[in-house]
Amino acid sequence: MTTSSITDLFEHNRQWAAQMEREKPGFFTGLMAQQKPRYMWIGCSDSRVPANQITGLEPGEVFVHRNIANVVVPTDLNCLSTIQYAVDQLKVEHLMVVGHYGCGGVLAALQDARIGLADNWIRHVKDVRDKHAALLAAVPLPKRHDALCELNAIEQVMNIAHSTVMQDAWARGQKVQLHGWCYSLQNGLITNLQMSVPDVAGLAEVHRQAVAQVAERAQA
């Protein structure tokens, strides 16, 4: 069964490559020549949340970093190096942190569930949970998981905004904007969390308003 499944992947790859070349002759030659994406996507590793398909972008149009629960930790050199390459070298114009409703990592943080080594990583989401404990306590239980998914995405935008990479980019006048979004597995739509940050000015107020809107959506 495993061998057959892997063989199928190679066949699907050949079919996809042939289709792309038929529909867009020279497509792969163009990809080899340059990489100039306007967007960077930081999302969850969940296999149901593919950046290109969700946004309707082609290969080469979005630079992607993914991990459990779309977390950006100030000490994670893997993530920060990827962000720096996207900002400094690729000159992306928009960087989106995209959570998703129904995220298993966020649920584990919300419920204090033990899942293994990843518990240490999910500790960062628990920090978000604890920071907004009063807000979450006021949210009806059926909506609490969704609210924490949104809050987590918002707080990860804040972490990026405070990183040396972004502080340096904005200080030299580079135009790159941060965004916080949340994707729905139920209907395939993205919710704009109104956490859009064009520079360091007004960051605290944008954050305050985005968090307030989480509370409003949860009570609606």
Side-chain angles (χ1 to χ4, degrees):
M1 177 64 70
T2 301
T3 302
S4 176
S5 296
I6 294 297
T7 301
D8 288 345
L9 295 184
F10 283 103
E11 179 58 31
H12 294 162
N13 169 248
R14 286 190 289 270
Q15 292 174 4
W16 171 77
Q19 180 182 350
M20 289 299 294
E21 193 60 31
R22 283 195 307 271
E23 295 177 354
K24 299 182 178 181
F27 175 78
F28 294 105
T29 304
L31 280 183
M32 289 176 60
Q34 62 183 356
Q35 178 182 208
K36 289 187 177 180
R38 294 179 58 202
Y39 309 100
M40 181 176 182
W41 172 291
I42 297 179
C44 183
S45 296
D46 193 302
S47 61
R48 301 167 295 176
V49 191
N52 286 76
Q53 289 92 326
I54 289 171
T55 53
L57 296 174
E58 297 287 355
E61 293 185 322
V62 58
F63 200 61
V64 178
H65 177 85
R66 296 168 69 172
N67 60 51
I68 295 174
N70 45 271
V71 171
V72 180
V73 185
T75 55
D76 181 3
L77 296 184
N78 181 5
C79 183
L80 292 181
S81 296
T82 307
I83 293 172
Q84 182 166 35
Y85 187 81
V87 173
D88 292 359
Q89 301 299 318
L90 299 178
K91 306 297 183 184
V92 296
E93 300 171 18
H94 300 276
L95 195 162
M96 301 88 71
V97 176
V98 188
H100 70 96
Y101 302 114
C103 179
V106 173
L107 182 62
L110 183 64
Q111 298 180 339
D112 268 324
R114 289 294 305 273
I115 60 175
L117 183 61
D119 295 339
N120 301 283
W121 181 255
I122 291 170
R123 175 67 252 176
H124 299 294
V125 185
K126 291 183 179 181
D127 289 342
V128 176
R129 176 202 65 187
D130 296 345
K131 178 178 180 178
H132 297 284
L135 186 159
L136 290 168
V139 171
L141 191 59
K143 295 185 177 181
R144 200 168 294 170
H145 184 194
D146 286 354
L148 184 53
C149 290
E150 294 181 353
L151 291 168
N152 183 52
I154 289 169
E155 293 301 333
Q156 305 317 316
V157 172
M158 289 292 285
N159 287 344
I160 298 173
H162 287 301
S163 71
T164 56
V165 176
M166 290 309 308
Q167 293 289 315
D168 290 347
W170 284 331
R172 62 177 177 260
Q174 186 170 341
K175 300 299 183 183
V176 54
Q177 189 166 3
L178 309 181
H179 309 274
W181 297 351
C182 210
Y183 171 72
S184 172
L185 297 170
Q186 186 174 11
N187 59 24
L189 299 178
I190 295 171
T191 296
N192 183 351
L193 302 178
Q194 304 302 322
M195 184 63 189
S196 292
V197 184
D199 52 47
V200 72
L203 178 60
E205 180 59 19
V206 172
H207 175 265
R208 186 195 67 78
Q209 292 183 13
V211 170
Q213 289 184 49
V214 173
E216 291 175 9
R217 277 191 296 274
Q219 297 295 341

